[in-house]
Amino acid sequence: MSSEPNAYSSHPPRMRETTMLDKVIANGGVMSIALFFVVCCFFFAVTTDAFLTAPNLLNIIRQSAPLLIVAAAMTFVITTGGIDLSVGSVLALTATLSAAALQAGIPWPLAIILMLALGGVVGLIQGYFIAYEKIPAFIVTLAGLSVIRGFALLITGGYSIPIEPTSPFVTIGRAWVLGIPAPALIAIVVLLAAYVVFNETHFGRYVTGVGANAEATRRAGVNTRRVILWVYILSGTAAAAAGVILSARLGSGSSNAGQGFELDVIAAVVLGGTSLFGGRGSLVGTILGALTVAVLANGLILSHLSPFFTPIVTGFIILVAIWLNFRLFKGGAKGR
Amino acid sequence: MTDTQISRVRMTGISKRYGALQSLDNASLNLMPGEVLGLVGDNGAGKSTISKVLSGAVIPDSGTIEIDGRPVSFTSPAEARAARIEMVYQDLALCDTIDVAGNLFLGREPKRHIAGVPMLDKKLMHERARDMLSNLGIVIPDTWMKVENLSGGQRQSIAIGRAASFDPSVLIMDEPTAALAVAEVEAVLELIRTVSRRGVSVILITHRLQDLFLVCDRIQVMYEGRNVAERRIEDTNIEDVVNLIVGRKFAARSAGHQASHNQAGHTQERGASA
């Protein structure tokens, strides 16, 4: 029994530097969606001829550009512990108003700036009620969803407003630059910017801080209300950009555009491992989540299956991916 | 103790009433530079309230506060912080999903500019965090670890280290050793000693009376919003302090003068560690 003193001194330290495996487990949300993304791509690549071709892949990004852009902004919103249900309505309003503005003879660059500003103002108003009046984000943006869609319907009387196909405006949705569709290019730029802001700037850090412990972040001298206000301005502006891109691609502005769009966006963000409780967000996860939703929709059509399978499959994947996060990855992280 | 020295903190005649409850009744507090003062009392005795008055979170109804001989009146925690009074909150005020360095620097992250855009200087932040922690003797293997993966004692150390890094002259700690494992309590107490050796005055609020005898120079006992007793640590023992807290002070006062061997042991321990 001479080993008794050694029982205290000789065992290796229990804390160690983070290993690769730790990082994989810690980023479980991203890992599980990456898995689903790869599986989906592999499945459609094998079962269909057309899926794994450059035009089709570019087409997927082109079509999912609005989703990717708004999901990037929504990642900020959800990481603060909030939610923005109004993005689909903002998309519809800006899509119709940009068509109306062009019809009224407003030059297209001005029309775009006006639309982005409108989205920002909508976000500002909602953000004010959430950040400064402390009304739950769900309530404020649920009201926004209804009111803003209502305005879009009121303005158009429910009809679509066409856009002149000769207008340079439509190039935003249709042009190809350096072999890449313009919407895809815009989405890539937005995603890169969002990634840098989220991970490398003070603002991004405070977004995570607000979601993790708002009181602690406030005590650290951060103006947390302004951070919250800004995430809604961001999501409103992003939704407006999505509306502009959508109307430019379709060549018309419809007040019925983007019905249920907010749910697709939230699904993409949550699939990517961002926690609805806040404090935990991943833009890489969001990109993978949005692309998975887009690949599913595209692949199911290419497989000659009914497109109505898309919501069914998407729903199942959300459930299984989140379940995997809780059971496999998070369980590993907490069980140490 | 040199009586000629100016007190770091002198609070006199502090009263605070919350509706029907007289939370503080003509309470006072004196703290010398580099001194560790243990503030004890039952729940509701007013020890948290008086520390909140000092940290600017509670505005007293009456009374005066002097810092280094100058009268001050705080109307917000920010003003108290400007006077270099830091408080480590009981709920730690850490962000679980942010790494160790990020928590230490929350709200004052070092900047670097890339193409004119201000960004987090993570490299500098982690370098400084490592220095900061090793200077205080806090053992954290990796400043990139998220705080949620740390033990209670490590989290407490980060919270204290964060407060200490603001170069405070007074550090108030509310129950820093509550709910910690035995070995972790020792680490946190060692950290308190390290901080006080640097000339920081510490106010330690705790229910763990044995901790008082390991780090404190002096103990102030509060009872129903009033100061009821003050003891140099070498003149008292746990029994005495317990009696003072529960209010049987007359029966116990004589016990304070009997030098029990238990008390001598504590004094020695302190002498060895200081």
Side-chain angles (χ1 to χ4, degrees):
Chain A
M1 292 297 114
S2 63
S3 67
E4 209 193 355
N6 290 346
Y8 292 102
S9 56
S10 69
H11 75 81
R14 288 197 300 165
M15 300 291 290
R16 56 187 161 79
E17 300 238 341
T18 340
T19 60
M20 273 313 284
L21 183 66
D22 289 336
K23 285 183 181 155
V24 168
I25 288 170
N27 291 311
V30 178
M31 287 303 142
S32 65
I33 189 60
L35 194 74
F36 271 104
F37 180 66
V38 170
V39 167
C40 285
C41 287
F42 182 76
F43 178 78
F44 292 124
V46 171
T47 55
T48 68
D49 298 331
F51 178 78
L52 208 59
T53 58
N56 185 53
L57 293 180
L58 287 173
N59 187 39
I60 291 174
I61 303 179
R62 189 169 91 115
Q63 288 186 345
S64 59
L67 179 66
L68 282 164
I69 290 167
V70 181
M74 187 70 85
T75 308
F76 285 78
V77 174
I78 294 183
T79 303
T80 65
I83 196 125
D84 189 348
L85 298 172
S86 71
V87 289
S89 299
V90 173
L91 177 142
L93 181 67
T94 50
T96 53
L97 279 183
S98 55
L102 291 170
Q103 238 179 19
I106 294 172
W108 66 272
L110 184 62
I112 293 171
I113 291 167
L114 282 175
M115 289 311 116
L116 295 181
L118 175 68
V121 168
V122 169
L124 180 83
I125 294 168
Q126 297 191 121
Y128 168 78
F129 281 105
I130 295 160
Y132 291 87
E133 302 296 332
K134 310 278 178 211
I135 302 174
F138 190 93
I139 307 288
V140 172
T141 58
L142 186 65
L145 173 145
S146 178
V147 169
I148 298 159
R149 174 76 65 186
F151 270 116
L153 289 165
L154 190 70
I155 289 165
T156 61
Y159 293 105
S160 292
I161 301 175
I163 297 172
E164 260 333 291
T166 53
S167 165
F169 182 83
V170 298
T171 57
I172 297 163
R174 295 176 180 174
W176 289 66
V177 183
L178 308 167
I180 301 170
L185 211 58
I186 296 169
I188 290 166
V189 170
V190 168
L191 289 170
L192 278 176
Y195 180 86
V196 170
V197 170
F198 193 81
N199 292 299
E200 301 296 332
T201 70
H202 291 69
F203 178 71
R205 177 53 57 88
Y206 301 151
V207 164
T208 308
V210 166
N213 189 340
E215 182 58 17
T217 313
R218 191 187 66 79
R219 282 181 193 165
V222 177
N223 188 341
T224 52
R225 290 190 289 193
R226 203 166 63 199
V227 170
I228 295 172
L229 181 68
W230 267 106
V231 297
Y232 291 96
I233 295 176
L234 278 182
S235 70
T237 312
V244 167
I245 290 170
L246 191 74
S247 64
R249 181 161 66 85
L250 299 177
S252 72
S254 162
S255 52
N256 287 314
Q259 301 254 24
F261 179 69
E262 60 281 339
L263 299 181
D264 283 345
V265 171
I266 293 164
V269 174
V270 172
L271 265 176
T274 295
S275 165
L276 277 174
F277 301 109
R280 236 176 276 269
S282 162
L283 262 156
V284 176
T286 294
I287 296 168
L288 289 169
L291 287 179
T292 305
V293 172
V295 162
L296 268 176
N298 175 274
L300 287 173
I301 293 166
L302 291 181
S303 317
H304 303 293
L305 286 168
S306 162
F308 300 128
F309 271 116
T310 312
I312 298 172
V313 177
T314 310
F316 273 117
I317 289 193
I318 289 173
L319 195 63
V320 175
I322 302 300
W323 177 73
L324 272 181
N325 284 352
F326 272 100
R327 289 287 149 193
L328 236 89
F329 296 107
K330 269 291 265 316
K334 293 283 175 204
R336 278 183 299 181
Chain B
M1 202 71 195
T2 47
D3 289 350
T4 50
Q5 244 181 319
I6 301 171
S7 297
R8 179 64 57 78
V9 177
R10 246 175 92 87
M11 303 172 78
T12 43
I14 305 285
S15 294
K16 177 72 189 176
R17 173 180 284 278
Y18 291 106
L21 178 74
Q22 187 80 39
S23 181
L24 287 175
D25 181 9
N26 198 21
S28 61
L29 188 148
N30 192 43
L31 187 65
M32 302 307 286
E35 189 184 27
V36 182
L37 173 69
L39 199 53
V40 293
D42 247 328
N43 290 340
K47 50 197 196 313
S48 280
T49 312
I50 199 167
S51 65
K52 279 178 186 160
V53 167
L54 182 57
S55 71
V58 169
I59 299 165
D61 299 332
S62 63
T64 56
I65 307 172
E66 283 175 32
I67 308 287
D68 295 323
R70 281 189 308 276
V72 291
S73 68
F74 301 134
T75 55
S76 75
E79 285 176 27
R81 285 183 101 178
R84 295 171 60 211
I85 294 168
E86 282 289 328
M87 176 144 185
V88 180
Y89 291 94
Q90 205 168 359
D91 55 8
L92 297 180
L94 297 177
C95 290
D96 274 350
T97 55
I98 294 178
D99 59 22
V100 171
N103 268 288
L104 286 171
F105 283 96
L106 190 66
R108 50 178 176 145
E109 294 86 350
K111 263 180 212 161
R112 69 191 168 124
H113 290 263
I114 295 177
V117 184
M119 303 231 184
L120 296 172
D121 192 340
K122 288 189 183 170
K123 192 163 155 277
L124 183 65
M125 193 157 91
H126 283 268
E127 266 169 26
R128 281 205 205 152
R130 269 192 295 276
D131 288 350
M132 213 187 237
L133 293 176
S134 69
N135 281 342
L136 291 170
I138 302 171
V139 184
I140 304 282
D142 189 352
T143 55
W144 291 91
M145 272 180 87
K146 289 193 174 158
V147 165
E148 63 188 341
N149 295 327
L150 299 180
S151 70
Q154 287 173 322
R155 291 164 59 90
Q156 190 67 54
S157 298
I158 301 288
I160 296 172
R162 178 180 153 76
S165 71
F166 285 98
D167 189 27
S169 66
V170 179
L171 191 55
I172 309 165
M173 295 187 222
D174 195 353
E175 297 282 358
T177 50
L180 294 190
V182 178
E184 291 184 335
V185 169
E186 188 43 51
V188 168
L189 294 180
E190 184 56 44
L191 182 55
I192 294 173
R193 287 186 207 111
T194 308
V195 171
S196 87
R197 267 202 298 275
R198 298 175 164 196
V200 178
S201 304
V202 177
I203 298 175
L204 175 64
I205 301 171
T206 185
H207 280 120
R208 289 176 48 98
L209 300 180
Q210 63 271 42
D211 294 351
L212 297 171
F213 290 89
L214 295 174
V215 291
C216 292
D217 299 307
R218 200 156 51 86
I219 293 175
Q220 171 171 333
V221 185
M222 299 191 69
Y223 186 80
E224 294 184 347
R226 289 169 286 119
N227 307 37
V228 288
E230 229 183 281
R231 293 280 185 279
R232 304 284 317 157
I233 201 79
E234 55 270 22
D235 299 337
T236 187
N237 56 34
I238 287 200
E239 227 176 307
D240 183 26
V241 173
V242 170
N243 290 340
L244 290 169
I245 290 172
V246 298
R248 282 185 283 128
K249 55 183 175 174
F250 293 108
R253 184 164 278 167
S254 58
H257 297 295
Q258 292 166 2
S260 70
H261 77 277
N262 186 21
Q263 171 196 335
H266 279 304
T267 316
Q268 247 172 19
E269 212 173 297
R270 268 189 55 73
S273 64

